[in-house]
Amino acid sequence: EKVIVLCREKCSVELYSEMEEDFYSLLDGVETDCPPEEMDAEDPLFILYTSGTTGMPKGIVHTCGGYATGVHYTTRYIFDLKENDVLWCTADTGWITGHSYIVYGPLSAGATVVITETTPDWPDPGIWWSIIEELGVTIFYTAPTAIRMFMRVGEEWPNKYNLDSLRIIGSVGEPLNPEAFEWYYRVIGKNRIPVLDTWWQTETGMHMITTPLGEPMKPGFAGLPVPGIEVDVVDKDGNSMPPGQGGLLVIKKPWPSMMRTVYRNDERYRKYWNQIRNYYTAGDLAVKDNDGYIMILGRSDDIIIVAGHNLGTAEVESALVEHEAVAEAAVIGVPDEIKGQAVKAFVILVKGYEPSQKLVSELTYHVRMSIGPIAMPASIEFVDSLPRTRSGKIMRRILKAKEMNMDLGDTSTLEE
């Protein structure tokens, strides 16, 4: 009903009187003391809408006790929180990563937290590294989107700054492809700092899979289940898949910070649990290796079926990004009269490279050699940006809808 406007600096904004209120005018005559309300552990804490990568956003309901337990535990132990740490999670505070690892988790653990309003490239691509140097950040948690952007602009920017304060660097939001992992570890981590790739969701509230500190890191693999979490890769009937064979990612037992329902849509909530044997079905494709490490292949609804062969979008995108000219890529399936579906790729180029038919041929051949002929893009479109959510996930359904001249659907969680 109302929008509260906080004017921090000199501004002469005229408020739209019917719906906008000045923050400071609301403080006039109000007691400064505000006793906290006592809440039951299962009382709702917040409702957060998921990114809507598969359609209409869902209102995920988290509760006071369980959510706080999960984010406190993972902040302290996954990030190995020490007394003098300075934690900087670059996420938007309005989304689950910001909720969990800027606000609730770190503050409940008494951590020193950096909160900024910066974008990674303004006023120049060195701004984040200057903040790390200036504030002595020790734990840095960001998204693959940002990492790939920094790869695109070059190593000279982070190399201008002293990043010796860092002791842990993490990634969140989508799979960290091996090339980005290696760059992050080498350029930002100086070949000495562990990289925590983390898999979790708005629905889970907290980290579910990561590589524990001290354990071997495997680029491309999110890691192992967090202690207390039972994760597996299964077929559609719930049977555990052997190492090396892809399947559906499930969580076999409840955990403290799991969502309690979908707001005003309990039936939609139950679908998470009744698709496979009362396991929680994450909606992601994954594969595990002989050590139990789990690699996320992409959303199960991001499968492209080419002539009967299942392709995960992540594996094709990773193959494209391996090429030195490619900063970022997204692929979708488009109708094909013979194959059923064909692969179309949208590619952002590294600075210094220009679109050309020769480059299209090079990239197509590169995918062929990396995965096989079945994965070769039928077409490649060079773009300047990709539609993504504010949490950093690429909205492939938007690309597909645009390609097919269909309604874009709900775009309320798009970054732009």
Side-chain angles (χ1 to χ4, degrees):
E1 293 178 4
K2 297 285 183 180
V3 175
I4 299 173
V5 180
L6 172 60
C7 221
R8 288 174 305 144
E9 303 187 21
K10 292 178 182 177
C11 60
S12 56
V13 178
E14 190 159 328
L15 299 183
Y16 182 62
S17 58
E18 288 186 14
M19 62 180 292
E20 293 183 335
E21 299 275 1
D22 176 65
F23 174 79
Y24 292 106
S25 67
L26 293 175
L27 296 184
D28 291 342
V30 177
E31 287 288 330
T32 55
D33 182 42
C34 181
E37 187 71 27
E38 289 188 13
M39 306 296 288
D40 185 84
E42 286 301 299
D43 281 341
L45 176 61
F46 59 81
I47 299 166
L48 199 59
Y49 284 82
T50 63
S51 53
T53 44
T54 58
M56 287 288 288
K58 304 177 287 285
I60 302 304
V61 178
H62 280 293
T63 56
C64 295
Y67 173 79
T69 300
V71 296
H72 181 93
Y73 163 59
T74 47
T75 300
R76 287 189 70 87
Y77 296 107
I78 301 305
F79 287 135
D80 185 37
L81 198 63
K82 308 290 187 190
E83 182 70 25
N84 295 321
D85 273 324
V86 177
L87 170 62
W88 184 19
C89 169
T90 66
D92 187 318
T93 49
W95 297 83
I96 192 63
T97 302
H99 271 55
S100 296
Y101 299 110
I102 296 176
V103 184
Y104 291 97
L107 296 184
S108 75
T112 299
V113 182
V114 175
I115 303 177
T116 69
E117 292 179 295
T118 59
T119 59
D121 57 354
W122 191 89
D124 59 53
I127 181 64
W128 279 12
W129 317 122
S130 71
I131 289 170
I132 290 172
E133 179 183 81
E134 180 186 351
L135 301 181
V137 173
T138 59
I139 302 169
F140 179 65
Y141 194 36
T142 194
T145 306
I147 296 166
R148 289 191 289 263
M149 188 219 80
F150 291 126
M151 291 172 66
R152 188 182 181 189
V153 298
E155 298 176 23
E156 61 269 22
W157 285 103
N159 288 342
K160 290 179 181 181
Y161 300 93
N162 183 349
L163 306 180
D164 288 349
S165 62
L166 291 172
R167 68 179 190 88
I168 293 172
I169 52 179
S171 172
V172 59
E174 59 180 313
L176 182 62
N177 53 294
E179 297 69 38
F181 183 105
E182 297 286 3
W183 188 92
Y184 198 27
Y185 178 68
R186 178 176 59 84
V187 177
I188 307 305
K190 310 301 181 187
N191 294 313
R192 65 177 180 84
I193 297 171
V195 176
L196 289 179
D197 190 2
T198 58
W199 177 88
W200 56 295
Q201 300 175 307
T202 304
E203 293 91 335
T204 72
M206 64 179 237
H207 297 146
M208 304 300 277
I209 301 172
T210 189
T211 301
L213 293 174
E215 293 295 321
M217 295 181 294
K218 299 185 180 185
F221 285 82
L224 297 163
V226 167
I229 304 300
E230 195 172 334
V231 174
D232 201 2
V233 178
V234 302
D235 64 17
K236 59 183 175 54
D237 297 316
N239 303 307
S240 187
M241 300 297 288
Q245 289 193 26
L248 297 164
L249 188 68
V250 297
I251 304 166
K252 290 187 167 182
K253 293 179 181 175
W255 62 99
S257 65
M258 57 184 257
M259 64 171 173
R260 295 305 194 261
T261 189
V262 173
Y263 184 57
R264 293 180 176 172
N265 196 341
D266 201 50
E267 182 182 347
R268 195 167 185 181
Y269 171 71
R270 290 173 188 276
K271 287 181 180 177
Y272 284 92
W273 291 94
N274 61 21
Q275 289 181 43
I276 301 175
R277 273 196 203 166
N278 291 325
Y279 295 162
Y280 171 86
T281 306
D284 281 336
L285 290 171
V287 64
K288 59 189 176 188
D289 69 4
N290 290 320
D291 299 321
Y293 279 64
I294 293 170
M295 175 186 287
I296 308 299
L297 299 176
R299 295 290 298 173
S300 58
D301 45 16
D302 282 344
I303 297 174
I304 303 171
I305 303 174
V306 180
H309 295 265
N310 289 2
L311 289 172
T313 54
E315 59 183 322
V316 184
E317 290 164 1
S318 198
L320 286 164
V321 173
E322 282 174 2
H323 193 282
E324 62 183 10
V326 178
E328 198 156 7
V331 301
I332 60 170
V334 294
D336 183 275
E337 285 185 6
I338 297 172
K339 300 175 184 177
Q341 281 189 308
V343 176
K344 171 155 187 181
F346 298 84
V347 169
I348 299 175
L349 294 176
V350 171
K351 192 175 181 181
Y353 287 88
E354 295 295 329
S356 68
Q357 190 53 49
K358 181 174 180 291
L359 188 53
V360 168
S361 301
E362 273 187 36
L363 295 177
T364 305
Y365 180 74
H366 183 74
V367 173
R368 179 191 177 113
M369 299 309 293
S370 299
I371 303 174
I374 203 72
M376 288 166 54
S379 63
I380 295 175
E381 183 176 332
F382 297 106
V383 295
D384 294 323
S385 62
L386 293 166
R388 63 180 76 253
T389 68
R390 289 173 71 190
S391 59
K393 290 186 178 67
I394 295 170
M395 297 280 272
R396 293 173 189 84
R397 72 170 181 84
I398 299 288
L399 292 170
K400 191 158 190 171
K402 207 169 177 186
E403 185 71 17
M404 307 291 292
N405 292 316
M406 295 162 57
D407 179 21
L408 298 184
D410 192 306
T411 57
S412 58
T413 57
L414 273 183
E415 187 176 44
E416 296 178 11

